[in-house]
Amino acid sequence: MQVAIKKWGNSQGIILSKELMELLNAHIGDSLDAAFENGNLILKKQKMHKTLEERIAESGTPLTFGEEIDWGESRGTELW
């Protein structure tokens, strides 16, 4: 599959076809990692960090905060 290099302001850009975007599972606004290896330009979709909610959902264990802890009597001007 061929792509064209186009002028984009003071830089250059590569236009990716819909088919390439689908193969990369990429969307407008996504970031790609670019590498140059053995004379080849390699583009890979950046691995996005998962949110806390996504990690908890994948664990299959509900998030719990445990039981209340009794810290004893107030010793200063704390408000309980």
Side-chain angles (χ1 to χ4, degrees):
M1 200 173 298
Q2 290 185 338
V3 296
I5 300 172
K6 304 276 184 168
K7 182 113 174 104
W8 189 339
N10 290 332
S11 300
Q12 296 77 38
I14 298 173
I15 306 298
L16 301 178
S17 67
K18 180 180 176 184
E19 292 82 16
L20 276 175
M21 293 287 286
E22 288 173 355
L23 288 170
L24 277 168
N25 190 27
H27 302 88
I28 293 173
D30 287 351
S31 295
L32 301 175
D33 283 324
F36 190 74
E37 296 177 8
N38 300 323
N40 297 304
L41 174 63
I42 300 170
L43 298 175
K44 295 180 184 177
K45 187 172 178 183
Q46 277 187 340
K47 182 174 172 138
M48 301 304 291
H49 294 285
K50 294 179 183 174
T51 64
L52 177 60
E53 290 79 13
E54 290 170 329
R55 291 173 188 256
I56 291 168
E58 286 179 357
S59 75
T61 305
L63 180 62
T64 59
F65 294 100
E67 297 178 18
E68 239 181 72
I69 298 173
D70 182 7
W71 294 99
E73 295 293 321
S74 297
R75 294 191 178 179
T77 59
E78 298 94 346
L79 299 175
W80 296 96

